[in-house]
Amino acid sequence: SQKIEQNSEALNIQEGKTATLTCNYTNYSPAYLQWYRQDPGRGPVFLLLIRENEKEKRKERLKVTFDTTLKQSLFHITASQPADSATYLCALLVYGNKLVFGAGTILRVKS
Amino acid sequence: EAGVTQFPSHSVIEKGQTVTLRCDPISGHDNLYWYRRVMGKEIKFLLHFVKESKQDESGMPNNRFLAERTGGTYSTLKVQPAELEDSGVYFCASSGKMARNEQFFGPGTRLTVL
């Protein structure tokens, strides 16, 4: 069956450290993988998109890797801040241009 | 530029009643999507419009759900009659001509069916 799995437990880290979130998928062949941030009571906000032929993408303190052999993406936030605390969603763009979301990982950055 | 807006933000109805949710996409966005998140589950795709045409409605749960996008601008999602399992948060998103670009999400409508 098709699955997208993200870190099931909340991730608690200290301010200034690097947060690493994992997204694994099975039985999908996505051309694109996207990461979104969601705050309570709000809709998801797009962060980064990476294509299947790209290994790594960076944007300011964010870095995403995409390994289509392992069927895995890693999402890194360097020099994390309490304002980075949120739920982070991995989403695959599949046939028909629809997004298939993982359940999300809650990140808590403590000062 | 205004983002995606949704109305109402919350709706509480009795089982068997009808509810209509509205989404106004970002101006000029041809692609409009509906998603929903039921309690404890991940966000799931419902359907995709390109302008006024339904491109993909494979995620619509059953025929109690009807989506329209008259004139290719705003969209409505009607649930009739509502059932308890329809409770959740309904998100609308839009994207530009390149459908594979980022999707901009609205704040969602929280629907509670009692």
Side-chain angles (χ1 to χ4, degrees):
Chain A
S1 64
Q2 295 175 314
K3 283 193 301 186
I4 302 174
E5 292 181 328
Q6 297 189 242
N7 309 60
S8 56
E9 302 289 329
L11 186 61
N12 297 294
I13 64 167
Q14 202 64 34
E15 182 178 9
K17 301 291 186 184
T18 296
T20 299
L21 285 66
T22 304
C23 174
N24 295 295
Y25 59 92
T26 54
N27 294 323
Y28 283 109
S29 297
Y32 299 78
L33 186 145
Q34 302 184 6
W35 283 88
Y36 287 78
R37 167 184 174 143
Q38 188 173 22
D39 291 283
R42 294 178 178 265
V45 174
F46 173 81
L47 296 175
L48 279 170
L49 174 155
I50 188 165
R51 295 174 174 80
E52 61 179 339
N53 59 353
E54 296 176 318
K55 297 290 185 191
E56 182 179 298
K57 203 79 167 280
R58 290 175 186 260
K59 180 182 175 183
E60 298 172 351
R61 294 185 296 111
L62 309 180
K63 185 178 86 170
V64 173
T65 62
F66 192 13
D67 188 326
T68 54
T69 301
L70 290 179
K71 296 188 183 294
Q72 179 182 78
S73 174
L74 299 178
F75 178 77
H76 307 270
I77 305 175
T78 57
S80 59
Q81 305 164 1
D84 295 327
S85 298
T87 297
Y88 290 86
L89 303 167
C90 165
L92 308 182
L93 192 70
V94 297
Y95 41 86
N97 296 322
K98 62 189 180 191
L99 288 173
V100 180
F101 284 90
T105 298
I106 297 171
L107 174 66
R108 300 190 191 103
V109 182
K110 298 183 180 179
S111 56
Chain B
E1 179 182 290
V4 176
T5 57
Q6 293 187 245
F7 183 82
S9 56
H10 293 85
S11 181
V12 181
I13 61 172
E14 301 276 338
K15 175 183 169 180
Q17 289 185 320
T18 297
V19 63
T20 300
L21 314 181
R22 173 172 170 142
C23 169
D24 286 79
I26 291 173
S27 177
H29 277 190
D30 290 340
N31 295 282
L32 186 150
Y33 311 82
W34 283 98
Y35 294 86
R36 78 171 177 180
R37 178 177 231 159
V38 295
M39 183 70 76
K41 302 278 190 177
E42 63 275 13
I43 296 172
K44 287 202 169 174
F45 168 85
L46 295 178
L47 87 159
H48 170 204
F49 283 100
V50 177
K51 297 185 180 177
E52 66 275 9
S53 300
K54 290 176 186 172
Q55 183 77 12
D56 181 356
E57 51 185 333
S58 60
M60 294 287 264
N62 51 61
N63 59 9
R64 295 185 293 102
F65 289 74
L66 175 64
E68 294 181 323
R69 192 182 182 194
T70 307
T73 55
Y74 71 92
S75 174
T76 58
L77 179 65
K78 182 193 290 189
V79 185
Q80 178 183 31
E83 298 288 344
L84 299 179
E85 64 265 24
D86 300 332
S87 295
V89 182
Y90 290 75
F91 293 104
C92 174
S94 70
S95 65
K97 280 188 167 33
M98 293 291 291
R100 294 184 170 222
N101 285 349
E102 63 181 283
Q103 295 183 18
F104 296 84
F105 281 77
T109 293
R110 181 173 293 279
L111 174 64
T112 303
V113 183
L114 302 176

